């Protein structure tokens, strides 16, 4: 399979929203490792904001959006009190948010390709590190991040306990 990764456009929003909805339907029907909830997260507004701010990227396969990721400089509030491996301001750090893969493309290397892209993108921009959070029971994603060289830093509460998601693991890759 050949993939193309590029910045998302406003014309992609409807297809990204379908990706989110179909992914959430598939997760609900199976094992919902990331704890995503249809209508709550991720939703169209996340994609619109990511595109408008220039942080959302899509991966295309055969003309379809197979996945997407948001690469911003915006940490979750809980990140601030954490003892990270490298200290620097968030203008030199990429934070990975909303890594999503369409159910038709699961286990085809989409997540790994997006993670590799995030690292290449961060290095080109002179970033010092990449950070992310992952629900503590999202075992497939944790395996992916660890295989990509991310180091576990700490487990924190991001404020989603009401949704049954009390603890998130924080990972970092120093570049």
């Amino acid at each position: 399979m050949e993939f193309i990764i590029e910045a998302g456009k406003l014309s992609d929003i409807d297809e990204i929203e379908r990706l989110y909805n179909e992914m959430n339907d598939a997760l609900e029907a199976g094992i919902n490792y990331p704890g995503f909830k249809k209508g709550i997260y991720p939703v169209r507004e996340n994609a619109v904001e990511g595109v408008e701010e220039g942080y959302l990227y899509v991966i295309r396969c055969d003309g379809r959006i197979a996945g997407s990721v948001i690469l911003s400089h915006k940490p979750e509030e809980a990140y601030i009190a954490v003892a990270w491996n490298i200290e620097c301001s968030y203008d030199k750090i990429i934070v990975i948010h909303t890594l999503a893969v369409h159910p038709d493309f699961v286990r085809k290397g989409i997540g790994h390709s997006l993670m590799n892209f995030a690292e290449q993108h961060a290095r080109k921009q002179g970033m010092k590190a990449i950070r992310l959070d992952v629900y503590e029971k999202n075992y497939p994603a944790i395996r992916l991040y660890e295989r990509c060289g991310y180091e576990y830093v700490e487990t924190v509460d991001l404020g989603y306990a009401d949704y049954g998601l009390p603890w998130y693991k924080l990972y970092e890759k120093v570049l």
Side-chain angles (χ1 to χ4, degrees), residues 33-107:
Y33 287 109
F36 290 165
K37 307 264 188 237
K38 189 172 184 177
I40 296 173
Y41 185 82
V43 293
R44 181 182 186 91
E45 291 75 23
N46 302 120
V48 169
E49 180 181 328
V51 168
E52 287 177 345
E53 293 183 2
Y55 293 144
L56 185 139
Y57 296 86
V58 297
I59 183 167
R60 296 181 195 279
C61 182
D62 298 327
R64 289 180 60 199
I65 295 176
S68 67
V69 66
I70 294 175
L71 305 175
S72 77
H73 298 282
K74 295 179 181 177
E76 297 292 330
E77 191 175 318
Y79 285 31
I80 305 304
V82 171
W84 295 96
N85 294 318
I86 187 171
E87 282 300 318
C88 67
S89 66
Y90 274 89
D91 65 336
K92 288 292 182 187
I93 304 232
I94 293 281
V95 181
I96 295 177
H97 298 282
T98 324
L99 178 67
V101 177
H102 191 283
D104 291 349
F105 295 94
V106 169
R107 295 195 159 306

